[in-house]
């Protein structure tokens, strides 16, 4: 009788993904390629033949977390390939962990694959085997990040992303549309458009005309967003700067083609601080622009992030920021106390603000915004809206999001006793209650 051998299992790769949505998107590409070539993805170190760690180098805490993750993977498996933003910082990883097999920067699928191949030959050819056409994603099935460009042409003084990722490189518009279409066909209900500066899409290629399904399409934010709006999924825009041409997407929001939601990282309101920060569009008349947008699209939700305690920020300049909050009435706001990032220009600015002052300002800022947010959410009680269900929690309540809520960073809409709903389902609800951040609703 022929002897049956247990088939040899394909090589298995462990994966640790740290960092921002842009890093997640890089991880998804690498994972997709690994699966395409027949590697197994292992969820534990014990089964992993090699571990890939996708790192973040943005702030010192992220650097530490990345170095710790590499250390742990090395201890457990001895075979580690490092990729991501921290990898782009010369010598940092090699100095801390000389035993790593290879180090690459962000957006380096090919280099990571070459390092994997050097350790473990590929089990099969991706062109002859099966992989879901939408690739492998780390986000739940019903929403996906769509990265439209990489790098940034700005040089904000607190940021080292341009030195890590280089100048803006826009992805071809046809490729972005193809990816978006594939995602929607695979069941994605919400596309989250991300980049370092979404409003700058196409600047590097002079808004070149590309093609999508044989139709000419400009490599430009307005045209891209209008085309995405035809796919039938929610389209949400992140990291937009308040340039004049952003006005063009507001009618698309008012028509319901794109979610009436803009994530604009204003970072400050004092012209002097914005200048020190070297922020893009710092000279634009932001409050006028916000007013005009709201007049054209009353449903518009504005989300933003701010930094308080930037070097040299005076009490008067901080108060200017609080006044701006009062005037702008933003819906969603994140606030960070300034923390120096190794290698950033802003570290050389005079007038470091003491930690205690920074923290006190952050608390005052958040208190003011909490009041604004609570008022704005309360005004929604009694209104009807469509929400997208993310999950059903242990108590049987549905946790959903309205057009005003981006996943992970904004609030949610709870629908009590909704076991019959499913993640990824759109539901019409009436808002019944509100807190500072979240809403409660019932099905209508
Ligand atoms: S816009 Fe400024 S903060 Fe954003 S990535 Fe570019 S340089 Fe950094």
């Amino acid at each position: 009788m022929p002897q049956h051998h247990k088939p040899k299992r394909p090589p298995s790769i462990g994966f640790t993904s740290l960092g921002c949505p842009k890093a997640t998107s890089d991880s998804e590409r690498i994972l997709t390629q690994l699966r395409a070539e027949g590697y197994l993805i292992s969820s534990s170190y014990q089964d992993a033949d090699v571990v890939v760690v996708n790192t973040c180098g943005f702030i010192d805490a992220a650097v530490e977390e990345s170095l710790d993750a590499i250390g742990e993977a090395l201890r457990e498996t001895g075979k580690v390939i490092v990729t991501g933003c921290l990898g782009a910082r010369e010598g940092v990883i090699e100095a801390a962990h000389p035993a790593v097999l290879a180090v690459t920067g962000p957006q380096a699928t090919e280099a990571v694959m070459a390092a994997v191949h050097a350790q473990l030959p590929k089990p099969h050819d991706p062109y002859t085997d099966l992989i879901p056409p939408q690739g492998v994603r780390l986000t739940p099935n019903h929403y996906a990040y769509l990265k439209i460009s990489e790098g940034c042409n700005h040089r904000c003084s607190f940021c080292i992303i341009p030195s890590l990722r280089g100048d803006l490189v826009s992805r071809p518009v046809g490729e972005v549309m193809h990816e978006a279409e594939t995602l929607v066909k695979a069941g994605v209900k919400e596309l989250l458009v991300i980049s370092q500066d979404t409003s700058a899409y196409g600047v590097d290629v002079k808004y070149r005309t590309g093609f999508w399904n044989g139709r000419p399409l400009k490599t430009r934010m307005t045209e891209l967003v209008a085309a995405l709006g035809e796919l039938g999924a929610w389209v949400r825009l992140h990291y937009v700067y308040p340039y004049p041409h952003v006005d063009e997407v507001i009618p698309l929001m008012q028509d319901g083609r794109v979610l009436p939601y803009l994530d604009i990282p204003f970072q400050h309101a004092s012209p002097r601080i914005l200048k020190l920060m070297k922020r893009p569009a710092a000279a634009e008349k932001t409050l006028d622009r916000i007013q005009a947008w709201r007049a054209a699209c009353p449903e518009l939700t504005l989300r933003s992030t701010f930094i308080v305690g930037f070097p040299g920020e005076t009490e008067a300049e901080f108060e200017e920021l609080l006044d701006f909050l009062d005037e702008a009435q933003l819906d969603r706001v994140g606030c960070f106390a300034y923390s120096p990032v190794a290698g950033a220009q802003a570290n050389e600015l005079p007038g470091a603000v003491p930690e205690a002052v920074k923290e006190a300002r952050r608390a005052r800022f958040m208190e003011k915004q909490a009041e604004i947010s609570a008022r704005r959410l309360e005004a929604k009680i009694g209104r009807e809206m469509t929400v997208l269900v993310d999950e059903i929690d242990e108590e049987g309540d549905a946790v959903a999001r309205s057009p005003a809520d981006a996943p992970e960073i904004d609030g949610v809409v709870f629908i009590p006793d909704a076991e019959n709903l499913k993640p990824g389902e759109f539901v019409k609800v009436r808002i019944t209650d509100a807190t500072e951040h979240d809403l409660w609703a019932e099905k209508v």
Side-chain angles (χ1 to χ4, degrees):
M1 239 175 100
Q3 221 185 326
H4 289 279
H5 290 288
K6 212 169 144 206
K8 210 170 143 244
R9 91 165 156 79
S12 178
I13 315 289
F15 207 99
T16 303
S17 184
L18 304 166
C20 64
K22 284 148 244 179
T24 305
S25 176
D26 284 357
S27 293
E28 287 171 352
R29 272 162 218 267
I30 297 167
L31 285 168
T32 298
Q33 192 58 29
L34 286 167
R35 290 293 294 122
E37 294 184 8
Y39 293 94
L40 295 178
I41 307 298
S42 124
S43 53
S44 70
Y45 286 133
Q46 287 92 303
D47 305 329
D49 300 308
V50 165
V51 175
V52 177
V53 182
N54 189 2
T55 58
C56 173
F58 188 47
I59 54 168
D60 292 348
V63 171
E64 227 165 84
E65 187 189 13
S66 296
L67 291 177
D68 286 353
I70 297 167
E72 188 185 329
L74 272 174
R75 274 194 307 281
E76 297 287 337
T77 67
K79 291 194 170 183
V80 176
I81 295 165
V82 177
T83 183
C85 285
L86 187 56
R89 286 171 67 173
E90 216 164 294
V92 175
I93 289 163
E94 292 85 344
H97 296 297
V100 295
L101 298 170
V103 178
T104 82
Q107 274 221 303
T109 308
E110 274 172 33
V112 172
M113 292 311 299
V116 171
H117 297 155
Q119 294 301 316
L120 305 161
K122 55 175 147 176
H124 64 61
D125 187 326
Y127 298 104
T128 57
D129 283 297
L130 289 173
I131 178 81
Q134 76 280 17
V136 175
R137 283 179 293 113
L138 299 177
T139 46
N141 283 334
H142 58 278
Y143 66 82
Y145 293 100
L146 184 66
K147 181 147 74 168
I148 60 170
S149 60
E150 187 57 69
C152 182
N153 286 347
H154 305 297
R155 294 294 181 264
C156 300
S157 58
F158 55 80
C159 176
I160 54 165
I161 285 177
S163 63
L164 294 177
R165 292 180 177 231
D167 281 341
L168 175 79
V169 179
S170 299
R171 290 180 63 203
V173 69
E175 192 185 301
V176 174
M177 285 307 301
H178 179 70
E179 181 174 335
E181 225 180 345
T182 311
L183 288 166
V184 174
K185 277 190 194 140
V188 164
K189 301 286 185 347
E190 177 175 1
L191 295 164
L192 301 134
V193 177
I194 56 164
S195 67
Q196 312 293 345
D197 177 358
T198 296
S199 30
Y201 180 60
V203 168
D204 54 318
V205 294
K206 304 201 171 54
Y207 307 119
R208 174 171 64 205
T209 299
F211 287 91
W212 170 47
N213 290 341
R215 182 178 121 191
L217 193 60
K218 264 193 167 182
T219 312
R220 194 165 170 275
M221 179 175 74
T222 311
E223 282 78 356
L224 170 69
V225 164
L228 289 172
E230 291 174 25
L231 299 177
W234 275 5
V235 177
R236 193 183 293 283
L237 304 183
H238 287 282
Y239 312 114
V240 176
Y241 287 98
Y243 291 112
H245 73 276
V246 173
D247 297 356
E248 297 170 12
V249 296
I250 306 294
L252 300 173
M253 296 180 171
Q254 181 59 11
D255 291 352
R257 285 213 262 165
V258 180
L259 289 179
Y261 180 101
L262 278 176
D263 173 10
I264 307 185
F266 291 119
Q267 307 299 20
H268 214 282
S270 146
R272 192 186 76 92
I273 297 291
L274 284 169
K275 211 158 153 220
L276 286 176
M277 287 178 165
K278 299 205 182 139
R279 291 297 288 165
E284 301 298 336
K285 292 200 174 92
T286 306
L287 283 171
D288 293 351
R289 181 141 271 128
I290 290 176
Q291 243 176 23
W293 290 341
R294 286 207 171 117
C297 180
E299 289 296 307
L300 181 65
T301 294
L302 289 172
R303 141 164 278 276
S304 190
T305 47
F306 292 87
I307 296 174
V308 294
F310 190 76
E313 183 190 61
T314 62
E315 174 63 21
E317 283 161 341
F318 171 67
E319 280 170 16
E320 214 175 318
L321 176 55
L322 293 184
D323 291 344
F324 172 85
L325 284 187
D326 270 332
E327 294 257 354
Q329 293 285 307
L330 304 174
D331 298 272
R332 306 285 190 186
V333 164
C335 178
F336 302 94
Y338 174 75
S339 113
V341 175
Q345 252 187 327
N347 301 347
E348 275 127 56
L349 290 171
V353 177
E355 285 308 316
V357 176
K358 280 191 219 167
E359 273 314 316
R361 286 184 186 167
R362 201 180 76 83
R364 282 163 69 196
F365 179 106
M366 290 315 287
E367 201 181 319
K368 167 152 303 277
Q369 182 55 33
E371 283 164 28
I372 296 172
S373 172
R375 261 202 313 277
R376 292 187 73 79
L377 289 181
E378 205 185 333
K380 297 189 180 191
I381 295 175
R383 286 180 43 192
E384 289 186 5
M385 57 182 75
T386 300
V387 298
L388 177 59
V389 177
D390 273 343
E391 57 166 322
I392 309 298
D393 68 15
E394 286 147 17
E395 278 118 68
D397 299 343
V399 185
R401 286 177 297 106
S402 76
D405 314 307
E408 287 162 47
I409 49 175
D410 292 333
V412 296
V413 181
F414 292 105
I415 313 168
D417 305 324
E419 288 96 341
N420 53 338
L421 297 178
K422 282 187 226 54
E425 193 176 337
F426 286 110
V427 196
K428 193 109 188 274
V429 297
R430 183 179 305 107
I431 304 302
T432 54
D433 206 354
T435 60
E436 248 167 49
H437 299 292
D438 303 315
L439 294 170
W440 269 258
E442 61 192 12
K443 260 183 87 178
V444 290

